[in-house]
Amino acid sequence: MIRVAQDTVTITDNTTGRSVDCPVQRGTCGEPVIDVRALHRELGLFTYDPGFGVTASCRSAITYLDGDAGVLLYRGYPIEQLAERSNFLEVSYLLLYGELPTPAQMQAFEHSVKRHTMVHEHLNKFFAGYRYDAHPMSIMVGVMGSMASYYHESTNIFSPSDRDLTAHRVIAKMPNIAAKCHKYYLGQPFVYPDNTLGYVENFMNMIFSVPAEPYVSQAVAVRALDLLLILHADHEQNASTSTVRLCGSAETNPFACIAAGMATLWGRAHGGANEAVVHMLQNIGDVSNISSFVARAKDKGDSFRLMGFGHRVYKNYDPRAKIIRQACHDLLDSMEGIDQPLLETAMELERIALEDDYFIERKLYPNVDFYSGIILKALNIPVSMFTVIFALARSAGWISQWVEMIEDAEMRIGRPRQLYVGAAQRDYVAMDARR
Ligand code: CMC
């Protein structure tokens, strides 16, 4: 039995009649949480919540989202304002330090990030060990996981200055590593960072330039990519961020934690969705085929789902999708020679799905990844790099969440419990006695 008072929830085990008062903790915004830590000590009970749908695993002051209202705030600032007025590097500073930087702070941060854009030269040899057609995410996970071997300070996780150094390194080196994953696949020489360029321009230069020809990025493309990075920079305690925290709770070095987060992000249900959306739109091909794909998505006997639709938390239009949808139109309208069939299919699919009772009843709306792949494709970024770009952006969030976790006095190693449903204790049976 559960009884709710103002600031306590009393939980009674009806079999024993014993009760425990669990305090209710209220944050700045959002649902209050029941602090159930006394539950096992007093009643010998655990909670059961597969997928952590109603479990707050930590306290955090970084990102807030209200899935019903479609609100997303980084350190209190609405995503719409940051998308319009900020840039990815400033957003990274905001996530990491909690406040918008002053001009001097921003200059110092930018300078530090620029000083760390290169990677140890030996690390460049690492790439050659991968098969020529390896998925860039598999390379990213491996290379990121090996970073601590080059940057030993990262293992000093209780030193604030070393944590800071590692955070700057992660943000600075991600574009370099991400671009190399692509160059390796193409068989083109790696392009070193050019610190006279801005963060996103530098990344584009490392992806697209070749020694044989000059490359100048288009301002509209730089802005579109910068916007995508801002929108993907953090998203509260999602699967990859929770992985980073869980891994970090064991006092693992942060590069390895981020590699673990990347591995989680790679999945189709998470960051791999942007790639899956483009494949889906290509498979649909013509708008006349949309209804049969929608029918498949509704068929419980078919594992097909509409990629880029639905979200664990957003039960309203994902605010990031709203921004990206508009950016997608702006970008495609402003770029010459861009073929728009994917966008047309996406818009028609969205229209049909949003009018369908199945999607309405389940509150399934387009999420951030529904349109992001279309933008990346228009920027000539290959589909296999989509999740890599997501990982680049999310690294700013992962490292900020990792720092916050290490600095949290309540930090303990993550150790979920279970509801055991296997065999009870039994005796070993000799092979010749088994039936
Ligand atoms: N197409 C068709 N049906 C869906 C979809 C979909 N995309 N998403 C959810 N449903 C149905 C699901 O079958 C279930 O129906 P029922 O109640 O009849 O069994 C109901 O909606 C609830 O779904 P759920 O699987 O319990 O929801 P979840 O919160 O566990 O899953 C999700 C969230 C994002 C994994 C899921 O919506 C999905 O697989 N979407 C497609 C993949 C995708 O776009 N992922 C990107 C997420 S946003 C970027 C990120 O944060 O990484």
Side-chain angles (χ1 to χ4, degrees):
M1 184 176 73
I2 298 185
R3 199 160 43 78
V4 184
Q6 177 60 22
D7 282 312
T8 344
V9 168
T10 306
I11 299 176
T12 306
D13 180 346
N14 289 339
T15 8
T16 61
R18 285 166 54 212
S19 297
V20 61
D21 288 340
C22 295
V24 174
Q25 295 195 23
R26 286 167 210 280
T28 331
C29 323
E31 288 91 344
V33 302
I34 306 171
D35 181 342
V36 293
R37 281 177 290 185
L39 201 58
H40 184 251
R41 192 181 59 235
E42 299 297 329
L43 303 184
L45 295 173
F46 291 136
T47 54
Y48 180 60
D49 179 22
F52 308 115
V54 294
T55 297
S57 61
C58 62
R59 297 181 299 193
S60 182
I62 300 178
T63 293
Y64 171 73
L65 69 96
D66 179 335
D68 293 323
V71 168
L72 173 61
L73 312 175
Y74 291 166
R75 299 287 191 181
Y77 295 102
I79 193 66
E80 293 79 5
Q81 291 180 22
L82 294 169
E84 194 186 328
R85 301 174 60 186
S86 188
N87 59 63
F88 177 68
L89 211 50
E90 186 184 58
V91 163
S92 302
Y93 183 101
L94 175 67
L95 292 172
L96 194 54
Y97 298 111
E99 296 297 335
L100 287 170
T102 62
Q105 286 167 333
M106 190 60 209
Q107 207 182 3
F109 183 59
E110 211 165 338
H111 178 75
S112 171
V113 168
K114 283 194 170 171
R115 297 307 302 169
H116 290 291
T117 49
M118 294 201 0
V119 294
H120 194 289
E121 198 56 26
H122 293 179
L123 195 82
N124 289 335
K125 299 193 181 121
F126 218 85
F127 291 83
Y130 286 88
R131 222 179 97 132
Y132 67 96
D133 59 351
H135 193 287
M137 277 305 282
S138 71
I139 305 182
M140 284 279 282
V141 171
V143 170
M144 185 49 73
S146 71
M147 293 273 279
S149 61
Y150 297 96
Y151 305 105
H152 295 162
E153 300 87 348
S154 65
T155 55
N156 302 333
I157 60 167
F158 295 115
S159 151
S161 60
D162 286 332
R163 282 201 297 272
D164 214 40
L165 176 60
T166 300
H168 290 203
R169 279 187 170 139
V170 166
I171 294 165
K173 294 182 199 306
M174 273 299 293
N176 187 341
I177 297 170
K180 282 185 172 129
C181 294
H182 178 51
K183 286 295 190 189
Y184 179 71
Y185 174 74
L186 291 180
Q188 290 181 0
F190 292 155
V191 177
Y192 282 79
D194 174 351
N195 290 344
T196 62
L197 300 175
Y199 188 89
V200 175
E201 274 178 292
N202 205 355
F203 177 49
M204 292 186 87
N205 189 55
M206 287 187 279
I207 290 191
F208 293 119
S209 75
V210 287
E213 288 171 12
Y215 169 80
V216 181
S217 51
Q218 280 181 280
V220 61
V222 173
R223 180 60 197 140
L225 190 51
D226 198 30
L227 176 70
L228 276 191
L229 298 185
I230 294 173
L231 298 180
H232 285 88
D234 196 50
H235 209 231
E236 209 224 49
Q237 307 310 318
N238 54 82
S240 57
T241 303
S242 297
T243 305
V244 170
R245 281 185 177 257
L246 189 59
C247 189
S249 75
E251 303 187 6
T252 308
N253 81 76
F255 291 120
C257 298
I258 289 183
M262 280 178 183
T264 308
L265 187 78
W266 192 2
R268 267 163 48 104
H270 194 4
N274 50 17
E275 195 176 325
V277 168
V278 169
H279 290 309
M280 177 187 75
L281 294 174
Q282 284 167 337
N283 285 340
I284 292 175
D286 191 84
V287 288
S288 61
N289 299 326
I290 290 177
S291 48
S292 66
F293 278 81
V294 170
R296 281 188 61 197
K298 298 190 310 188
D299 178 358
K300 291 293 161 203
D302 189 330
S303 61
F304 174 77
R305 282 187 168 197
L306 279 193
M307 288 292 121
F309 259 80
H311 197 275
R312 170 60 61 80
V313 184
Y314 290 121
K315 301 302 170 199
N316 197 330
Y317 212 101
D318 180 340
R320 301 167 301 171
K322 237 182 232 168
I323 298 168
I324 284 194
R325 189 181 194 272
Q326 186 55 48
C328 204
H329 283 284
D330 295 348
L331 179 74
L332 268 60
D333 289 348
S334 69
M335 288 178 101
E336 281 175 19
I338 291 279
D339 203 9
Q340 304 207 5
L342 283 190
L343 180 60
E344 278 160 21
T345 313
M347 282 173 47
E348 187 58 8
L349 175 58
E350 177 186 338
R351 192 190 63 76
I352 292 176
L354 291 182
E355 285 174 1
D356 191 301
D357 283 347
Y358 174 95
F359 292 89
I360 295 169
E361 280 159 18
R362 290 168 181 77
K363 299 187 175 167
L364 298 169
Y365 291 87
N367 59 51
V368 67
D369 286 327
F370 192 65
Y371 287 103
S372 64
I374 300 173
I375 294 193
L376 291 170
K377 214 158 174 301
L379 298 180
N380 262 332
I381 291 177
V383 176
S384 63
M385 282 291 288
F386 288 6
T387 313
V388 169
I389 303 228
F390 192 158
L392 188 169
R394 191 53 61 84
S395 295
W398 287 331
I399 198 66
S400 306
Q401 298 268 353
W402 174 81
V403 168
E404 182 181 69
M405 181 200 64
I406 297 291
E407 292 175 355
D408 186 346
E410 291 195 348
M411 197 271 272
R412 311 167 69 196
I413 186 166
R415 178 60 172 88
R417 303 308 294 252
Q418 65 173 8
L419 175 64
Y420 177 68
V421 293
Q425 183 171 330
R426 48 187 171 162
D427 290 327
Y428 181 82
V429 180
M431 181 78 80
D432 57 5
R434 288 178 214 163
R435 302 277 169 266

